[in-house]
Amino acid sequence: MSLSVFLVDDQRLVRTGFQMMIESDPGLRVVGEAGDGAAAVEALRSVDADVVLMDVRMPVMDGVQATAALTESGHRAKVLILTTFDVDQYVFAALKAGAAGFLLKDARQEELLSAIHAVADGGSVVAPTATRRLLSHVLGSLPGKTADPRVDTLTGREVDVLRQIAAGATNKEISDHLTMADGTVKTHIGNLLAKLDCRDRVGLVLFAFETGLAKLPG
């Protein structure tokens, strides 16, 4: 069964371009599109979609507000934010609002398709290198280190795994770096999600940086 994708961008040509790339994958199909966040939220009341590709800067309602509205409505679609470096200040807010991940607008076709599949399958922070690059720009807008009692519930090994996730490492990279079986990595991630009450890896990344458990090198 193919995955359904809904496109949200205020530029028609951009939507057309994304549609052409998406529909080159037989496992994906575009089920609708909108030119602003408000129109998207309204359309998704009746349109079932697995993934929403959401631009952040749009008229009427921006991508952050639209993502929050979809999250609050309980819509099952995973939101994948489309961003460029000049709007980084919106990305952190969008992730906090419930977006499952982000992708740079100039990503290659294979990166876009892979990201859609990853998010639909329950993945979150796609393209680890982009994660590190984007976080280096976004961190300036973070509120700073905050105390959180949930930190004290973590084991040392869970903290190690969390820091690797925050660095943008894949499960395989975590397994290799920490000399840990793949199944053990997945178990630790499951424990982290439960203990920290995070919906996905994006939540884990944000928690790590907000609490100071992770820092960018440099």
Side-chain angles (χ1 to χ4, degrees), residues 8 35-42 44-45 52 54-75 79 81-82 89-99:
V8 191
D36 64 72
V41 171
E42 181 60 33
L44 286 164
R45 295 181 191 276
V52 176
M54 181 83 74
D55 190 17
V56 284
R57 291 186 103 170
M58 295 180 291
V60 185
M61 177 185 286
D62 64 31
V64 176
Q65 295 170 312
T67 297
L70 289 175
T71 300
E72 291 167 5
S73 72
H75 198 289
V79 177
I81 292 293
L82 298 170
Q89 66 267 30
Y90 292 92
V91 176
F92 177 67
L95 296 178
K96 292 288 285 184

Side-chain angles (χ1 to χ4, degrees), residues 41 126 148 152 160 191 214:
V41 171
V126 295
D148 193 309
D152 296 330
D160 291 339
N191 290 342

Side-chain angles (χ1 to χ4, degrees), residues 175-196:
S175 174
D176 292 342
H177 186 79
L178 298 179
T179 316
M180 187 181 293
D182 290 345
T184 304
V185 172
K186 292 179 181 178
T187 297
H188 282 312
I189 292 174
N191 290 342
L192 285 166
L193 291 170
K195 286 184 176 182
L196 303 181

Side-chain angles (χ1 to χ4, degrees), residues 74 111 116 146 208:
E111 290 178 322
I116 292 172
T146 58

Side-chain angles (χ1 to χ4, degrees), residues 5-212:
V5 182
F6 192 94
L7 305 175
V8 191
D9 194 290
D10 61 337
Q11 298 183 49
R12 183 180 298 277
L13 284 177
V14 171
R15 299 199 304 270
T16 299
F18 278 127
Q19 180 169 358
M20 291 176 63
M21 288 192 288
I22 291 167
E23 295 189 338
S24 70
D25 185 329
L28 302 175
R29 60 191 174 93
V30 175
V31 294
E33 61 180 68
D36 64 72
V41 171
E42 181 60 33
L44 286 164
R45 295 181 191 276
S46 56
V47 175
D48 189 35
D50 296 303
V51 176
V52 176
L53 285 187
M54 181 83 74
D55 190 17
V56 284
R57 291 186 103 170
M58 295 180 291
V60 185
M61 177 185 286
D62 64 31
V64 176
Q65 295 170 312
T67 297
L70 289 175
T71 300
E72 291 167 5
S73 72
H75 198 289
R76 74 178 189 86
K78 303 292 182 65
V79 177
L80 183 59
I81 292 293
L82 298 170
T83 184
T84 54
F85 282 147
D86 64 334
V87 291
D88 286 346
Q89 66 267 30
Y90 292 92
V91 176
F92 177 67
L95 296 178
K96 292 288 285 184
F102 61 83
L103 190 68
L104 303 181
K105 267 194 169 182
D106 61 357
R108 298 188 304 273
Q109 180 171 344
E110 58 267 29
E111 290 178 322
L112 171 68
L113 301 180
S114 176
I116 292 172
H117 283 288
V119 167
D121 290 340
S124 295
V125 182
V126 295
T129 54
T131 300
R132 287 190 285 269
R133 288 168 58 200
L134 194 50
L135 277 173
S136 69
H137 288 257
V138 172
L139 282 181
S141 66
L142 294 183
K145 179 179 178 181
T146 58
D148 193 309
R150 289 175 293 177
V151 171
D152 296 330
T153 69
L154 304 180
T155 66
R157 211 55 171 156
E158 287 168 351
V159 171
D160 291 339
V161 171
L162 180 61
R163 285 173 172 154
Q164 288 292 307
I165 292 172
T170 63
N171 284 12
K172 178 63 167 59
E173 290 169 339
I174 295 173
S175 174
D176 292 342
H177 186 79
L178 298 179
T179 316
M180 187 181 293
D182 290 345
T184 304
V185 172
K186 292 179 181 178
T187 297
H188 282 312
I189 292 174
N191 290 342
L192 285 166
L193 291 170
K195 286 184 176 182
L196 303 181
D197 192 27
C198 293
R199 296 187 311 164
D200 49 40
R201 289 171 83 109
V202 165
L204 295 179
V205 171
L206 296 179
F207 179 89
F209 281 102
E210 286 181 310
T211 57

